[in-house]
Amino acid sequence: MGQRWRAVGVLAAALFAVNVVARLVTRFAFPDDDAASDRVSLVMFLVIGLILAGVAFRWGADRPLGRLAGDLAAAVGVALALTVFVGPLVVGENPFGGGAGLFFAQIWLYLAATAAGVLVGYLILTALGRDYRSRQLKRYAEMKGSRPRRVVRR
C-alpha cells in the first residue's frame, strides 16, 4: 500500500517540477516577452501530457481502471494544487496576482492537458490490447478453452 502512494507522490512531484522549471525559464530567460512565455507554457502542458500518457500506458497494464483513475486523479490533484498555489511563490509572484480569470484559466488548462495525456495513453494501451481488462479476458478465454469438454451421458 505504501508503494502505491509513493508512486503517486513521485508522479505529483514530477508534474510540479515540470511547472517550476517552466516558471523559472519564463522568469529568467523571457522576463518581458509574453509570446515566449506563452510558448514555454505550451511546451510545459505538452510535457505534462506526455508524462501522463506514459504513466497511463505503464500503469494501465498492471492496474484495474478504477484504481488507475484514482491514482492518477490523486497525483494530478496534488500537482495542480501545488502548481496553482505554490508555483507562483517559487518565482516571487502572488498566486492570485493575475486575477480570477488567470487563476481559473490555469486550472482549466492544466486539467485539459492532464486529461488529454491520460486519455491518449490509455486509449493506445487499450487499442494494443495490453490493458488490465483485456489481459484478464484473454487469460479467461485461454483457461476456458484449455479445459477438456465434459461428456454428458443420458
Side-chain angles (χ1 to χ4, degrees):
M1 187 70 157
Q3 192 74 359
R4 174 183 177 188
W5 294 114
R6 185 174 304 129
V8 169
V10 168
L11 176 59
L15 295 175
F16 177 62
V18 169
N19 180 264
V20 168
V21 167
R23 286 182 189 272
L24 291 174
V25 166
T26 300
R27 167 101 178 181
F28 294 116
F30 310 107
D32 296 325
D33 189 1
D34 287 339
S37 174
D38 290 344
R39 286 192 296 272
V40 170
S41 294
L42 177 64
V43 169
M44 177 199 68
F45 286 127
L46 288 173
V47 169
I48 287 172
L50 287 173
I51 289 171
L52 284 170
V55 169
F57 186 85
R58 174 63 186 96
W59 288 1
D62 301 335
R63 301 172 187 194
L65 183 58
R67 183 174 165 204
L68 173 69
D71 290 352
L72 290 176
V76 166
V78 169
L80 176 62
L82 289 171
T83 295
V84 172
F85 295 116
V86 179
L89 297 175
V90 171
V91 293
E93 296 175 4
N94 181 359
F96 305 104
L102 181 63
F103 180 78
F104 288 109
Q106 265 187 323
I107 293 172
W108 292 118
L109 285 171
Y110 197 90
L111 289 176
T114 57
V118 169
L119 189 63
V120 165
Y122 193 75
L123 286 177
I124 290 172
L125 181 69
T126 303
L128 295 175
R130 296 181 54 199
D131 63 311
Y132 184 81
R133 179 79 174 144
S134 297
R135 290 179 37 213
Q136 225 178 15
L137 290 171
K138 183 180 175 185
R139 280 193 304 270
Y140 175 77
E142 288 171 354
M143 195 173 72
K144 197 72 165 158
S146 66
R147 290 183 190 163
R149 193 170 159 189
R150 192 165 56 140
V151 178
V152 178
R153 296 184 187 185
R154 290 186 176 182

